[in-house]
Amino acid sequence: MTSVIKTREIQYTAKDGSTLIGYFAAPESTTPVAGVIVSPEWWGRNEYTEQRARELAEHGYAALAIDMYGNKKVTTEATQANEWMTETFQDPETIVTRAFAGLETLAAQTEVNQAKLGAIGFCYGGKVILDLARAGAPLQAVATFHANLSPKSPAEEGKVQAEILVLHGELDSMVSFEDVANFREEMHAVKVNHEVIIFEDAKHGFSNPLADERAKANGVDLGYNAEAEKQSLEAMYELLAHHLKA
């Protein structure tokens, strides 16, 4: 772990014309390091996403918390979050287009080793990076936390380059065990190296300490689980180290 990191905001433009503002964090290093994009929950590119980017930098990675809504829009209201998220689904190419823009922006930074790229995502952001991987992005490792697993279109054999780690809560009422089973079948069918870890007594949003607060304020079934958070992050860092630091 390194205690000296640097951060900055980076404005970039996706091919759909949207102006996006990412949050970049990297260790102070004389040589380029592996890069990881961090795709946010439906709340937008908020402090939680930025915190995860800083933690990655402390672990020796360059990280970019990507903006999926434009102009780093954030909210704490589920109705607004759902509206913004739904807008990104109207054109089936939007989320992959914007995620690719984030990945390309990350790779273009001088601190980043372009040959070592990964992605992590939370909830909505998990779907974003899974679809990015399905689209053939040059990723070596992908980890999702309580993610929507349904594909924009099923993965094609030979296209997914990453090993995929899915971190799922046993009590997740938004992503069913049928969804998990379908995801596994999809990955097996195209011979993608993947693992699904299911955490006992964990709800949707288990990795976010603010999940209970968000649940109460919005009447949605979220819940923080400290042990699941700890174990899921350990599994994620193990995956990243295996592929990006070897």
Side-chain angles (χ1 to χ4, degrees), residues 14-15 26 32 35-36 40 42 60 79 115 138 143 163 181 185 199 202:
K15 289 182 180 178
V36 181
W42 69 345
T79 52
E163 178 177 352
E185 288 180 13
F199 298 97

Side-chain angles (χ1 to χ4, degrees), residues 12-213:
Y12 55 104
T13 304
K15 289 182 180 178
D16 64 2
S18 55
T19 298
L20 307 168
I21 304 173
Y23 177 88
F24 180 78
E28 291 286 358
S29 174
T30 57
T31 57
V33 299
V36 181
I37 60 169
V38 183
S39 189
E41 297 172 288
W42 69 345
W43 311 115
R45 198 218 81 189
N46 57 14
E47 168 58 29
Y48 173 74
T49 325
E50 295 167 8
Q51 172 198 331
R52 294 305 185 197
R54 290 191 297 271
E55 290 169 357
L56 282 159
E58 290 167 357
H59 280 79
Y61 302 94
L64 183 69
I66 62 174
D67 178 10
M68 290 299 296
Y69 297 150
N71 297 310
K72 63 175 181 180
K73 291 189 298 189
V74 297
T75 186
T76 58
E77 297 180 3
T79 52
Q80 180 65 82
N82 186 62
E83 179 183 326
W84 288 342
M85 180 184 71
T86 302
E87 286 175 0
T88 68
F89 294 152
Q90 289 176 355
D91 182 332
E93 300 303 320
T94 294
I95 64 172
V96 170
T97 296
R98 293 182 183 180
F100 254 119
L103 183 62
E104 290 169 350
T105 299
L106 172 69
Q109 305 310 304
T110 57
E111 297 90 344
V112 176
N113 177 355
Q114 298 182 12
K116 298 280 188 177
L117 298 174
I120 69 169
F122 301 84
C123 305
Y124 161 70
K127 173 178 173 53
V128 169
I129 62 165
L130 286 175
D131 280 347
L132 182 62
R134 289 173 174 118
L139 297 166
Q140 291 165 283
V142 163
T144 72
F145 298 74
H146 34 90
N148 177 339
L149 303 174
S150 302
K152 175 177 71 72
S153 55
E156 299 173 17
E157 188 165 348
K159 204 162 188 180
V160 177
Q161 301 178 43
E163 178 177 352
I164 297 177
L165 173 64
V166 167
L167 304 155
H168 180 72
E170 176 192 25
L171 304 181
D172 192 325
S173 63
M174 300 183 189
V175 182
S176 68
F177 282 116
E178 181 181 359
D179 294 330
V180 173
N182 289 339
F183 171 79
R184 283 173 161 152
E185 288 180 13
E186 178 195 2
M187 294 297 105
H188 281 303
V190 293
K191 301 179 178 63
V192 171
N193 191 7
H194 68 283
E195 181 180 10
V196 177
I197 301 176
I198 297 175
F199 298 97
E200 291 184 2
D201 300 321
K203 290 187 173 186
H204 197 79
F206 64 77
S207 72
N208 191 335
L210 294 177
D212 294 327
E213 178 184 317

Side-chain angles (χ1 to χ4, degrees), residues 224-242:
Y224 174 60
N225 184 306
E227 186 59 28
E229 177 198 27
K230 177 178 178 291
Q231 292 180 12
S232 61
L233 288 171
E234 287 173 351
M236 176 200 78
Y237 279 114
E238 183 177 342
L239 175 76
L240 295 180
H242 177 70

